[in-house]
Amino acid sequence: MDRRTNMQILAANELFAGAGAEAIAAAYDASVGETFAAGETLFDQGAPATKLFAVFGGRVRLTQCTEDGQQVLIRYVGAGELAGFPVLADSPQYLLTAMAVHSVRAAHWDGPVIRNQIRANPVLAGNALSVLGRRYEQLQTRLRELSTENVEHRLAHTLVLLIEEAGERVPEGLKVGFPISRQDLAEMAGTCLHTVSRTLTGWEAQGLVGRGRQRVLVRDLEGLRALAES
Amino acid sequence: MDRRTNMQILAANELFAGAGAEAIAAAYDASVGETFAAGETLFDQGAPATKLFAVFGGRVRLTQCTEDGQQVLIRYVGAGELAGFPVLADSPQYLLTAMAVHSVRAAHWDGPVIRNQIRANPVLAGNALSVLGRRYEQLQTRLRELSTENVEHRLAHTLVLLIEEAGERVPEGLKVGFPISRQDLAEMAGTCLHTVSRTLTGWEAQGLVGRGRQRVLVRDLEGLRALAES
DNA sequence: CGGCTACTTGACCAGATTCAACTCTTGTGG
DNA sequence: CCACAAGAGTTGAATCTGGTCAAGTAGCCG
């Protein structure tokens, strides 16, 4: 891919929206392109936070692990999004593990490099703040759901968000555009895979969803949304 | 209070740490001082996000409410801290309600004003990012706890954090430095006030804590910490 | 075909919420 | 100054959501 195309890809990233062409060029020249195979980690929980990643294609899963091996899935990061916020905030280490779900194209910058770029450009600083702010608000909302809503609501909402973020039209309805297991859904909704499985079985009987291995098909998005609100 | 004192107070705020004297003076001149009586709100959930607040004294409670009136307590904000992040991130509305627990001294800036200050000063931009980043990480961790830990662990951890943030030495041990009800604790730990009450009763029998109206006394901080970790 | 992983399903159990009744504090007004 | 109302907290009993344990099935890849 030529330089021009790559710069366009970068310009589409949430951090660089509205930044001038020179800023994007500078960021591009300072970046290091990379690809990751499915299962590779971009960074690991507990490691020193050294690189900020911009994802261009594929899907990255951000999880936090407890000592006894339980996981929580914080979010999926897709094309145009960032991963590795601790680097922006100048925090010492990653609190999450970022793993490629399937082949990922990305770029990274070393902490001091990207912090310099941001310092030099108020637009980038503003973007960084608003991206972090949005993420913060999403977490707040999830926290509230987790303490006040029951599993079915939470799972319905999780599915709705996944479809909105990565839904793909198929003949029978909408499907999540990347492989996702019952375990993954459980870790997102704050429950166990058994309960997810049971709930999906129930929903299938009601015609809301279809099921498959590492795959969920949504037949009635509005129905799910209604479940998530109620 | 004279201008000089006020500027020192501002300089101690997390947003202005390390900013030059001129930047602090400029921020001070652009700020509007205010006080709030116990129970007054600095801003309300759903209202347009117009002002960023810096708290100088007292304690502010940030809560998110569900439609049916259930609340989640996101955090307490004390002296030297900020409230109203959506303004920094240029989000349209507050997702939280900020209420004074007891008399609060604060200052505020209108969104465009403070965003200008930040745009003009990379130190402020960096501080804003790192403050938001820290808050984000705290939420992440709480989210993980809420999905993986049981009530007793979570409540123990909640208490430990409260003591670390606002603990005051008293003859019998440490107490939380502001009035806090069982309901408040429940909303922080993601449970109901009955369970909090029962748990505290149990802990009192073990000599870990003492109880009082809107008051919790910690007798054995290390013991609590052990409970929170295990 | 064999083995691995993902998934399903039933039975059981427990932590935690809900419901309800009651007590203790604190502050207010007659 | 006392009575009383309102708010905060405690506690027991019943219930239930959802997690754990266990066993078995289905799909996928070498």
Side-chain angles (χ1 to χ4, degrees):
Chain A
M1 265 187 272
D2 62 295
R3 184 181 154 84
R4 199 143 160 250
T5 316
N6 278 323
M7 276 173 49
Q8 281 174 0
I9 291 175
L10 204 57
N13 189 280
E14 54 185 354
L15 182 58
F16 297 98
E22 341 73 57
I24 292 170
Y28 174 67
D29 290 332
S31 75
V32 182
E34 258 176 311
T35 63
F36 297 88
E40 268 189 282
T41 62
L42 318 215
F43 52 80
D44 297 281
Q45 180 175 347
T50 54
K51 301 174 187 170
L52 177 76
F53 290 86
V55 176
F56 298 148
R59 189 74 48 173
V60 175
R61 201 175 62 158
L62 298 182
T63 54
Q64 183 168 102
C65 227
T66 62
E67 285 122 43
D68 58 327
Q70 288 187 83
Q71 285 195 340
V72 178
L73 209 164
I74 301 292
R75 63 180 279 118
Y76 283 97
V77 172
E81 296 186 312
L82 299 173
F85 283 124
V87 173
L88 283 185
D90 213 356
S91 296
Q93 53 177 24
Y94 297 114
L95 296 188
L96 304 174
T97 295
M99 180 177 286
V101 173
H102 47 203
S103 172
V104 162
R105 285 182 306 115
H108 78 249
W109 298 265
D110 284 326
V113 172
I114 192 67
R115 285 195 292 272
N116 261 327
Q117 304 264 343
I118 289 176
R119 202 169 303 132
N121 190 332
V123 174
L124 296 191
N127 283 349
L129 272 175
S130 77
V131 170
L132 241 184
R134 221 177 310 141
R135 294 275 212 289
Y136 184 74
E137 294 184 339
Q138 288 166 355
L139 275 198
Q140 265 180 13
T141 300
R142 232 174 114 188
L143 198 71
R144 198 213 53 211
E145 282 182 10
L146 204 49
S147 10
T148 63
E149 245 91 61
N150 67 12
V151 170
E152 190 173 30
H153 285 71
R154 271 151 36 207
L155 188 57
H157 193 205
T158 300
L159 258 184
V160 169
L161 289 179
L162 282 169
I163 291 292
E164 284 173 355
E165 190 184 315
E168 289 178 9
R169 275 234 88 77
V170 288
E172 317 92 301
L174 293 154
K175 73 175 186 66
V176 178
F178 51 89
I180 188 163
S181 69
R182 303 291 179 270
Q183 178 72 36
D184 293 326
L185 288 170
E187 287 170 10
M188 293 188 84
T191 178
C192 62
L193 81 167
H194 306 99
T195 300
V196 171
S197 179
R198 275 184 256 269
T199 307
L200 289 183
T201 303
W203 287 349
E204 182 168 55
Q206 297 168 48
L208 286 168
V209 302
R211 295 176 297 158
R213 189 189 172 84
Q214 307 226 69
R215 195 170 151 282
V216 184
L217 170 78
V218 173
R219 292 187 197 280
D220 178 3
L221 186 58
E222 289 317 310
L224 268 191
R225 211 171 251 139
L227 265 183
E229 316 282 277
S230 81
Chain B
M1 265 187 271
D2 62 294
R3 183 181 153 86
R4 197 139 165 255
T5 317
N6 278 323
M7 277 174 49
Q8 282 174 1
I9 290 174
L10 203 57
N13 189 280
E14 54 185 354
L15 182 59
F16 297 97
E22 338 74 58
I24 292 170
Y28 173 68
D29 291 331
S31 74
V32 182
E34 258 175 313
T35 63
F36 297 88
E40 268 188 284
T41 62
L42 318 214
F43 51 82
D44 297 279
Q45 180 174 346
T50 54
K51 301 174 186 170
L52 178 76
F53 290 86
V55 176
F56 298 148
R59 189 76 47 175
V60 176
R61 201 174 62 157
L62 298 182
T63 53
Q64 183 166 102
C65 228
T66 62
E67 286 123 45
D68 58 326
Q70 288 187 85
Q71 285 196 341
V72 178
L73 209 164
I74 300 292
R75 62 179 280 118
Y76 283 97
V77 172
E81 296 186 312
L82 300 174
F85 283 124
V87 173
L88 283 185
D90 213 357
S91 295
Q93 54 177 23
Y94 297 114
L95 296 188
L96 304 175
T97 294
M99 180 177 285
V101 173
H102 48 202
S103 170
V104 163
R105 285 183 305 115
H108 79 248
W109 298 266
D110 285 325
V113 172
I114 192 67
R115 285 196 291 271
N116 260 328
Q117 304 264 343
I118 289 175
R119 203 168 302 133
N121 189 333
V123 174
L124 296 192
N127 283 349
L129 272 174
S130 78
V131 170
L132 240 184
R134 220 177 309 139
R135 294 275 212 289
Y136 184 75
E137 293 183 340
Q138 289 166 354
L139 276 198
Q140 264 179 15
T141 300
R142 232 174 115 190
L143 197 72
R144 197 213 53 211
E145 282 181 9
L146 204 48
S147 11
T148 64
E149 244 91 61
N150 67 14
V151 170
E152 190 172 28
H153 285 72
R154 275 157 25 211
L155 187 58
H157 193 204
T158 300
L159 258 184
V160 170
L161 290 179
L162 281 170
I163 291 293
E164 285 174 353
E165 191 184 313
E168 288 176 7
R169 277 234 87 79
V170 288
E172 317 92 301
L174 293 154
K175 74 174 185 65
V176 178
F178 51 89
I180 187 163
S181 68
R182 304 291 180 269
Q183 178 72 37
D184 293 327
L185 288 170
E187 286 170 11
M188 293 189 84
T191 178
C192 61
L193 82 167
H194 305 99
T195 300
V196 170
S197 179
R198 275 184 256 269
T199 307
L200 289 182
T201 303
W203 287 349
E204 183 168 55
Q206 299 168 47
L208 286 168
V209 303
R211 295 175 297 160
R213 189 189 172 84
Q214 307 226 68
R215 195 171 149 281
V216 184
L217 171 77
V218 173
R219 291 187 197 280
D220 178 3
L221 186 58
E222 289 317 310
L224 267 192
R225 210 171 251 138
L227 265 183
E229 317 281 277
S230 81

